[in-house]
Amino acid sequence: MKLSNMFKKTERKNYITIHTSDKKGKPEVPEGLLKKCNACKAAIVTEDVKNNYYICPKCHNYFRVHARRRVEMIVDEGTFEEWDHGLNAGNPLSFPGYEEKVKALQEKTNLDEAVMTGKAQINGNEVVLGICDGRFMMASMGWAVGEKIARAVERATEEKLPVIIFACSGGARMQEGIVSLMQMAKTSAVLKKHSDAGLLYISVLTNPTTGGVTASFAMLGDVILAEPNALIGFAGPRVIEQTIGQKLPEGFQKSEFLLEHGFIDRIVEREEMKEVLASILSMHKIEENGEDWRQECCQNEGEEKRVPYKGLTSWERVQISRRKDRPVGSDYIHTLFTDFIELHGDRYFKDDKAIIGGIARFHGMPVTVIAQERGTTTKENILRNFGMPSPDGYRKALRLMKQAEKFHRPVICFVDTPGAFCGIEAEERGQGEAIARNIYEMSGLKTPVVSIVIGEGESGGALAIATADEVWMLENSIYSILSPEGFASILWKDSKRAKEAAGVMKLTANHLKSMEIVEQVIPEPDNFTSANLEEVADRLDRSLKKFICEYMEMDADALVEKRYRRFRRM
């Protein structure tokens, strides 16, 4: 046998030719079988992409999803009822070729416009949907898009239903000029009426969401979610680069960037989107938030006889309150509550990790929980800035409290801070104003608020989430004007006299209870750590049941007046 024949290519016969090729003998790939990922450039099987939520199985790149495909992915089968099909804008500027372009797109996409609206169910939760489709003029917002969204939200308000809008847009529609611009005001106005009716709006940002859509309905959600790596911004990156004459940093305007800067609540993978939406909807389902919690929370369990104070000095209690193995805010959240959904950001500048907060269930009842968080390891301490919030953290907390007020959820705060962060950037962003604003707004919040000091509660940094109907303290926590070291340094010019200062500051739980600054002291076990947190959690659980039962029954005006009188007498 000749050596050259050993390396001959054998003829392939068993393939299906779908389309012709100039190269004879080369196997043909059935048309539509493969597609190319625009990120990793790999050839991937189309069916695999469809079965994988339109995500590249090799690099996890997200393909854009058509509106009808989105419906299939997130709603219960057979429940979607489309609204306002066939609504068209016409040509308000008589722009040449515009009507022909719209007609061609309608034929190509089988859509009447760039958004599809209607009613559906998600895991049994009824909701009004708006889903943008980027194939239709990049889902730019003209009259028809604005009108369809406005009609859907108005109908949701009438039927007392939540709204979810999946945004995907290049912004305003240039061919409609000023008419397009007015849709920003129209959609924002109807969402304001929907919000004033106490109804939920979830905005989901997909790639890309820019321009007038970002500057209107896309960024007005009670909860704002985003898909990973989505481009989100007002001006597009190319416009910004041309304007400022410099290259933008990597990841600029991506959803991860917005999360870090406080503008969205959470990034949600496409595979888990339906379940996350269902959880949020369930938390806000009006009929679920009725009588069930009362049956459990309002049972009379009797008063617990409080354990006498152990013979510790004030300074010893200060030291215990600062112990590194003492439970932190997140420990209490995960022990006392279920179904916790953390929400991020102040909607202005940053997501401050020194304060965590979100919505959860307490014996089935939706509540808002907020905690100053120190972390439990050195790495976490640094990430959480040792529990010293910046202005952004206080603004995040206030945003969550105002959201709780809208939906009449009780607010439960866990106080644990050596004080508000004092640094150049904190002053630049208005630390004093942020603390003052929290105290001001909390004093008139029309929903019950309880604050629990679990470690250190020092200065205005603690009061900014402790202007509450009741304040409780763990037995070995402290609550004071500032740290004993700071007190001694200011009054005696000697921080080494901190131990002496602790003795005169009346900062322990028993002192503050006797002064009627706090309403309740929660006993602690010896050597209190996360290992025996359940003992304290059980006591808090009983007290929270009683608090919620009593205060949720109060008229809003009476509640605010009672809180006012509480601080007025001090």
Side-chain angles (χ1 to χ4, degrees):
M1 185 176 183
K2 290 183 180 180
L3 184 64
S4 59
N5 290 337
M6 294 178 65
F7 297 96
K8 270 189 176 179
K9 291 182 180 178
T10 57
E11 188 179 1
R12 299 181 188 179
K13 295 180 179 178
N14 297 322
Y15 60 83
I16 300 172
T17 302
I18 301 300
H19 52 86
T20 60
S21 172
D22 292 336
K23 297 181 180 179
K24 293 181 179 180
K26 184 177 180 180
E28 298 293 339
V29 177
E31 191 171 6
L33 178 67
L34 297 179
K35 70 183 300 177
K36 187 177 181 180
C37 175
N38 55 8
C40 69
K41 309 304 180 186
I44 46 183
V45 179
T46 303
E47 197 62 30
D48 289 348
V49 175
K50 289 180 179 179
N51 294 335
N52 194 39
Y53 296 91
Y54 291 83
I55 301 170
C56 175
K58 297 190 177 181
C59 72
H60 208 66
N61 173 56
Y62 275 45
F63 294 98
R64 292 179 190 170
V65 177
H66 301 171
R68 297 194 190 280
R69 296 283 184 271
R70 183 80 69 178
V71 168
E72 291 172 4
M73 288 161 55
I74 65 163
V75 311
D76 300 345
E77 188 175 355
T79 64
F80 182 68
E81 170 196 329
E82 187 173 356
W83 291 347
D84 296 309
H85 182 71
L87 191 68
N88 292 305
N91 190 356
L93 299 187
S94 300
F95 192 87
Y98 179 46
E99 291 170 82
E100 291 77 11
K101 186 171 185 177
V102 169
K103 186 176 180 180
L105 283 168
Q106 287 172 339
E107 292 174 355
K108 182 180 179 180
T109 64
N110 197 29
L111 295 169
D112 57 354
E113 252 296 345
V115 68
M116 186 165 65
T117 60
K119 184 163 67 172
Q121 291 182 16
I122 299 177
N123 285 7
N125 299 286
E126 200 168 32
V127 63
V128 170
L129 285 175
I131 302 177
C132 297
D133 194 315
R135 295 175 300 161
F136 203 107
M137 298 185 74
M138 272 307 298
S140 54
M141 182 164 64
W143 178 85
V145 170
E147 185 66 16
K148 289 185 78 169
I149 289 173
R151 290 187 187 188
V153 175
E154 285 174 337
R155 192 162 166 183
T157 306
E158 291 171 8
E159 297 184 23
K160 294 183 170 52
L161 291 174
V163 170
I164 300 175
I165 299 179
F166 280 81
C168 165
S169 180
R173 188 169 296 182
M174 296 298 105
Q175 293 90 336
E176 294 189 26
I178 192 70
V179 175
S180 173
L181 187 70
M182 292 303 105
Q183 305 314 305
M184 295 167 62
K186 177 195 289 184
T187 55
S188 300
V190 295
L191 284 167
K192 178 66 167 66
K193 291 190 74 173
H194 183 263
S195 179
D196 288 346
L199 299 168
L200 173 70
Y201 167 41
I202 303 173
S203 178
V204 184
L205 312 180
T206 71
N207 184 44
T209 301
T210 61
V213 167
T214 302
S216 58
F217 68 83
M219 298 304 292
L220 295 175
D222 295 299
V223 178
I224 302 179
L225 309 177
E227 289 192 331
N229 207 38
L231 174 67
I232 304 162
F234 178 58
R238 187 177 62 204
V239 173
I240 297 173
E241 287 182 341
Q242 290 174 350
T243 301
I244 65 176
Q246 63 187 60
K247 191 75 176 171
L248 296 174
E250 188 70 25
F252 183 75
Q253 290 186 308
K254 293 302 177 91
S255 46
E256 293 76 10
F257 177 89
L258 267 75
L259 180 66
E260 181 184 346
H261 286 79
F263 293 106
I264 62 177
D265 285 294
R266 181 173 172 178
I267 294 172
V268 182
E269 296 281 351
R270 197 171 278 169
E271 306 97 312
E272 61 173 348
M273 182 64 76
K274 182 175 181 179
E275 292 306 317
V276 170
L277 290 173
S279 294
I280 297 170
L281 290 169
S282 179
M283 288 275 194
H284 295 81
K285 203 168 184 178
I286 296 170
E287 56 266 35
E288 278 196 8
N289 302 342
E291 299 296 328
D292 289 347
W293 66 270
R294 290 182 177 86
Q295 294 176 10
E296 185 167 358
C297 288
C298 297
Q299 293 173 359
N300 185 6
E301 298 185 3
E303 293 291 327
E304 179 186 21
K305 193 170 182 180
R306 208 190 64 73
V307 178
Y309 286 102
K310 307 172 192 73
L312 299 175
T313 66
S314 296
W315 181 244
E316 286 171 329
R317 293 188 192 278
V318 171
Q319 299 302 103
I320 293 171
S321 75
R322 295 173 174 175
R323 279 180 50 167
K324 291 184 179 179
D325 59 353
R326 190 175 176 86
V328 295
S330 57
D331 294 323
Y332 289 90
I333 289 175
H334 296 302
T335 303
L336 282 163
F337 308 100
T338 60
D339 306 315
F340 176 60
I341 300 173
E342 185 175 359
L343 303 177
H344 294 269
D346 64 346
R347 296 287 196 272
Y348 292 104
F349 183 79
K350 184 182 176 184
D351 179 43
D352 183 6
K353 293 177 175 56
I355 285 185
I356 59 176
I359 52 179
R361 290 187 186 277
F362 179 72
H363 294 276
M365 181 185 191
V367 297
T368 291
V369 290
I370 298 166
Q372 291 169 325
E373 175 71 7
R374 295 170 176 265
T376 55
T377 65
T378 301
K379 185 177 180 180
E380 286 183 0
N381 294 154
I382 295 169
L383 178 70
R384 306 287 185 183
N385 200 29
F386 296 88
M388 294 183 290
S390 295
D392 329 290
Y394 292 115
R395 290 174 181 136
K396 172 167 70 173
L398 183 58
R399 178 176 76 85
L400 296 177
M401 290 181 205
K402 296 299 286 185
Q403 186 186 94
E405 180 181 51
K406 172 181 172 178
F407 297 109
H408 198 47
R409 289 193 295 262
V411 179
I412 301 159
C413 299
F414 295 93
V415 179
D416 188 12
T417 180
F421 179 60
C422 54
I424 294 172
E425 60 268 37
E427 292 299 320
E428 285 177 336
R429 298 201 297 277
Q431 185 69 287
E433 189 279 337
I435 292 171
R437 181 63 54 186
N438 272 36
I439 296 170
Y440 176 85
E441 294 289 351
M442 287 183 76
S443 69
L445 208 65
K446 293 184 176 181
T447 201
V449 186
V450 60
S451 295
I452 306 160
V453 185
I454 59 174
E456 289 183 275
E458 292 178 355
S459 190
L463 184 60
I465 65 165
T467 307
D469 298 298
E470 290 190 12
V471 176
W472 307 340
M473 291 180 69
L474 266 63
E475 187 173 355
N476 290 314
S477 62
I478 61 170
Y479 190 18
S480 62
I481 189 170
L482 79 170
S483 69
E485 292 85 352
F487 186 94
S489 181
I490 290 172
L491 288 186
W492 303 325
K493 308 295 188 289
D494 185 1
S495 61
K496 293 180 181 178
R497 296 175 65 181
K499 182 177 180 179
E500 181 184 351
V504 301
M505 290 175 71
K506 298 190 183 301
L507 45 63
T508 66
N510 57 333
H511 284 125
L512 295 167
K513 179 71 165 60
S514 65
M515 295 169 67
E516 298 185 342
I517 300 294
V518 303
E519 279 73 19
Q520 190 174 158
V521 177
I522 309 296
E524 296 179 21
D526 293 329
N527 192 28
F528 180 36
T529 67
S530 56
N532 52 12
L533 175 58
E534 288 287 350
E535 185 178 333
V536 171
D538 286 344
R539 291 172 178 144
L540 282 172
D541 186 90
R542 288 191 290 271
S543 294
L544 285 170
K545 284 181 182 178
K546 183 179 177 184
F547 174 86
I548 289 172
C549 183
E550 178 183 345
Y551 282 85
M552 284 296 284
E553 295 296 327
M554 292 180 66
D555 173 76
D557 292 335
L559 178 75
V560 171
E561 180 63 21
K562 186 176 188 296
R563 192 182 307 136
Y564 171 77
R565 291 295 170 191
R566 178 183 186 274
F567 287 97
R568 182 64 183 84
R569 64 176 168 74
M570 292 181 184

